[in-house]
Structure formats: structure tokens, C-alpha cells
Amino acid sequence: MCVEGLDDAEYELLKRCREVIGPDVLVSASMDLHGNVSRELAHQTDLITCYRTAPHVDVAETKERACRNLLYLINRRKNDEAFRPYKAWVPLPVLLPGEQTSTRDEPAAHIYGEVPAVEAVEGVIDAAIWVGYAWADEPRNRAVVVVTGWDKRAVSDGAEKLARTFWDAHKDFKFVAPTGTFAECLDAALRSDKRPYFISDSGDNPTAGGSGDVTWGLTQLLARPEFKDESGPIVIYASVPGPAAVEKAVEAGVGATITVTAGAEVDDIHAGPLTMTGRVHAIKHGDRHASTEVVLQVGSVYAILTKLRKPYHLERDFTELSLTPRSADIVIVKIGYLEPELYDMAKDWMLGLTPGGVDQDLVRLGHRRILRPMWPFDREFKEPDLTSRIIDMSNESLA
Ligand SMILES: [Zn+2]
């Protein structure tokens, strides 16, 4: 997370938890690999681990590992054995978006591929690599390796091995799909005969930290002449929050033609609230993220409007709104890399480098407070220090 006024929010949270639970309680943390692990955060935990896949298909496994290892420490303590393992922490001067570091692709595939072998070494409990969070501007934002275990040498060697593999590949990270401006993506989709053609409106991905209510993409889309007529190519756009627009659509009912205004209540930097006239195609209540969703057909565009923001990751997110993405021409989602169901459905895909809070063009965001040098913000590097910093809490009171 990122909290205004706090440079290391997770550390602060855990420090305050420690004030309640005291220094002696064992703490195991399970994280998204897109988080940041400062040395101070690692120090507040006994165990700290993260996902090994992006897209994250090992969420449950990671939680289970964090719990299982915690029980293991609790049992050691019961048996009067050493119960506070060493941690080897290695920061890397690399800060990349998830869309260049998917474990579906190289080089992240082989970097994360080394984790199980490091973890399997005698004396190691867990090994973890954080890519870091690229869209906050704090000194802690960077990639980090942490290896935890009883054998100081083994955790140190393991962490240095993972850090070295990561660093050796730092110039090889590329976007997971062809990229372009939004207009270039639309042009490519219109030219293509691959259907459905997916486009990621990636600058406003709410699961990456975007507000989700940027109207820039939908505004550009509705301005295109190709989609003005109902007989044009079928485009599904997911999504823009607009509680007042949703309420109006619900009142009018399916089939009614209405004029509504939605979006840009949180993020209006790139485009203001969007007013559109269309026919209410579908209404759905009870979604756990969006609460209420409506689909407004404007020309040949089916725009999903929500009461609260929602990421669209599953086929049923669409089919439950009477939309059939498999038979659409173009499906546009506020996502970076495509989640598995959409990835499997897409016959082709481009990553739109669209503006928003989680702009994939990191360098143009103008970070000022991250440590330098930092790849890819800086291109000239001296060899970084990839030696392990050992965090030893075995004889230490956290108080
Ligand atoms: Zn993540």
C-alpha cells in the first residue's frame, strides 16, 4: 500500500501491531510479490514470504505456506528449540511494472524458477522475491530478495544467488504483450481478423492502484467514427464507475435510452466526467465489488458502468451482464497483463500505454524520491552490492 505521509506503511502497520501483541509473538507475513519489503519490515516479522507467480495463481498456496511455517516455528518454540530464524535480505536497484515481470514470460520465469531449489537447501525455510511496487514514489520501492532459515550461510548464499540471477537479467525485461498508444491499439484491432481482440487500458488498472475511474480511454473510444453506429464492430469496454449514472439507468430500466455522466470523480487529471447517451443493455445487482453494474450501449460500444469500481477478470463478469466477449470484436479492460481466463479467450492482445495513476511508462511519471541509480530510470550502472544483509533476531527483543 501507499499512504500519504508514511514512507513505509506496512512497516508502520506491523510496528503498531507489535505494540499490541508484544515482541514475543511470532509473526508470519504473506504478501503480493508487487509489494515492498524494507529492511525494517523484514525485521518486524519472523517469517515473510510472497507469491511466486504473476498473474497470481498461487495466492492460496502462499497463505498456506506462511501458516504452515508459522506453525512449524510455534512447535519448535514449544519444544524449546531455536524458533527465530535468520533472514537474508538483498535489495536490488530495479523497479519494474508487473507487466514486464510476469512469470509466464522470460526472464521472470527463470528467476522465479530458481526459488524452489533455494528453498529446498538444508537449513532454509522459505525463499521469496519481491518485484516491488512501481507506482509509488518512496525510497523503499525496489525489488528485494529475502531467504529465511536456520543456517546463516545457506540463507545468505540462497539470497545472493536469487539476487544475482535477477540482476543479470535486468536488461531483458520487456512488456508481456505488444504495446502502443490507445489509438494504435484500436487501429491494430480494427485491421486484425483475430476475434476477440483484447486491449488493456493499463494506465487505470484498479488492481495495480489506479483509481479505476479515469474516463480518458472510454472518451477516446466513443470519439472514434468506426463505433458511432450500432452496426459497427462490437466493442466491450470495462469499465467506468459512476454511481449517479448507474442509479439513473436502474430507474429507466433495460431498453430505455438515457443520457448519463460518469467517472473522473477521483482522477480527473487526463479527462473529466464523461457524458454519453445510450440504450440500457443490462442491469445487475449484488456484485461484491461493483454492487450494481449496468451496460450502456452507445453506438456499437457496450460500456460497463458500475456503482463502485471493479476489476473485470473472469468470463462470467461479462456473461452475467448479457455480454458475450467471445463473439465481440474488441474487448477493452482496465487491466495490465490479462488474467488467465481472459488470456485464454483473447485471440490477440495489445497493452495500451494509456495515461492514469499506474501509467506503464514509468519514466514519464517523474519519480523523485526513489533511490538512485535505479533501473530503468538510470541506464548507466556500477555493479550493485548484492551481498546479503543478515537480520538476526535469535537473541533479540523486538521491543
Ligand atoms: Zn500483484
Side-chain angles (χ1 to χ4, degrees):
M1 61 184 147
C2 178
V3 179
E4 281 178 28
L6 293 178
D7 269 352
D8 192 350
E10 283 86 1
Y11 160 71
E12 190 66 31
L13 174 67
L14 197 43
K15 189 176 71 132
R16 294 191 198 179
C17 289
R18 283 279 187 205
E19 284 167 14
V20 176
I21 65 176
D24 297 329
V25 174
L26 291 164
V27 171
S28 178
S30 153
M31 290 175 66
D32 188 316
L33 63 84
H34 298 124
N36 300 299
V37 180
S38 64
R39 187 172 183 161
E40 291 73 20
L41 176 62
H43 196 267
Q44 288 288 325
T45 63
D46 295 286
L47 295 164
I48 187 161
T49 193
C50 65
Y51 305 152
R52 294 167 179 179
T53 60
H56 310 311
V57 295
D58 64 335
V59 173
E61 253 174 86
T62 305
K63 285 181 188 166
E64 190 194 323
R65 189 172 68 249
C67 291
R68 202 173 44 234
N69 287 338
L70 178 61
L71 289 173
Y72 165 59
L73 295 196
I74 290 170
N75 280 326
R76 286 183 64 106
R77 180 183 211 164
K78 267 194 202 150
N79 298 334
D80 287 326
E81 294 171 271
F83 60 90
R84 288 213 133 118
Y86 299 112
K87 289 190 279 307
W89 177 87
V90 187
L92 287 143
V94 178
L95 185 61
L96 293 164
E99 284 60 34
Q100 294 187 20
T101 49
S102 168
T103 58
R104 276 196 296 237
D105 300 303
E106 288 296 346
H110 84 265
I111 297 168
Y112 278 85
E114 279 192 1
V115 170
V118 168
E119 188 184 71
V121 171
E122 183 75 31
V124 173
I125 301 170
D126 193 277
I129 306 170
W130 283 261
V131 162
Y133 183 69
W135 295 288
D137 190 14
E138 300 157 341
R140 64 174 180 156
N141 296 117
R142 54 183 160 167
V144 160
V145 173
V146 180
V147 177
T148 308
W150 309 112
D151 184 328
K152 206 187 273 189
R153 187 60 185 270
V155 296
S156 175
D157 288 352
E160 288 178 5
K161 180 166 184 273
L162 294 177
R164 169 56 54 194
T165 302
F166 197 139
W167 177 253
D168 285 348
H170 75 277
K171 289 180 179 164
D172 302 335
F173 291 96
K174 299 178 293 293
F175 280 113
V176 291
T179 58
T181 64
F182 196 54
E184 286 166 353
C185 293
L186 287 172
D187 290 341
L190 286 164
R191 271 198 312 272
S192 172
D193 58 2
K194 305 254 177 65
R195 294 293 182 256
Y197 196 107
F198 272 70
I199 297 171
S200 296
D201 182 355
S202 66
D204 191 32
N205 173 7
T207 68
S211 72
D213 88 333
V214 172
T215 55
W216 187 88
L218 184 56
T219 304
Q220 302 287 313
L221 180 68
L222 295 179
R224 295 278 297 227
E226 295 93 336
F227 313 119
K228 294 275 191 201
D229 193 89
E230 280 191 24
S231 62
I234 301 289
V235 185
I236 296 171
Y237 185 90
S239 59
V240 171
V246 168
E247 200 181 316
K248 195 165 176 183
V250 170
E251 272 169 28
V254 171
T257 296
I258 55 171
T259 299
V260 293
T261 301
E265 288 179 31
V266 177
D267 187 343
D268 62 356
I269 294 171
H270 303 284
L274 172 60
T275 298
M276 58 211 129
T277 298
R279 190 185 62 84
V280 180
H281 170 77
I283 297 171
K284 188 190 144 204
H285 296 286
D287 184 81
R288 75 184 177 106
H289 299 292
S291 178
T292 303
E293 301 156 274
V294 303
V295 180
L296 196 67
Q297 184 191 354
V298 184
S300 66
V301 175
Y302 291 76
I304 303 174
L305 307 178
T306 60
K307 185 173 175 193
L308 302 170
R309 65 184 189 163
K310 169 183 175 173
Y312 285 76
H313 287 175
L314 304 171
E315 186 167 10
R316 69 162 188 272
D317 290 337
F318 298 94
T319 54
E320 288 175 357
L321 293 168
S322 304
L323 297 168
T324 48
R326 284 177 194 276
S327 60
D329 292 294
I330 303 171
V331 181
I332 304 172
V333 280
K334 283 184 175 174
I335 288 184
Y337 52 65
L338 292 183
E339 292 296 319
E341 282 192 22
L342 305 187
Y343 184 77
D344 291 342
M345 195 192 309
K347 290 291 187 291
D348 207 345
W349 168 36
M350 276 187 85
L351 186 83
L353 298 178
T354 55
V358 292
D359 196 323
Q360 294 286 342
D361 189 345
L362 290 182
V363 175
R364 77 178 170 189
L365 280 174
H367 290 65
R368 283 178 306 219
R369 301 185 57 236
I370 53 171
L371 299 179
R372 307 299 283 264
M374 183 76 72
W375 181 269
F377 302 84
D378 302 291
R379 298 276 168 167
E380 298 301 320
F381 269 88
K382 270 193 259 163
E383 184 66 16
D385 176 8
L386 299 180
T387 55
S388 287
R389 284 69 147 176
I390 295 291
I391 300 172
D392 176 1
M393 297 180 8
S394 54
N395 296 309
E396 187 173 346
S397 168
L398 282 161

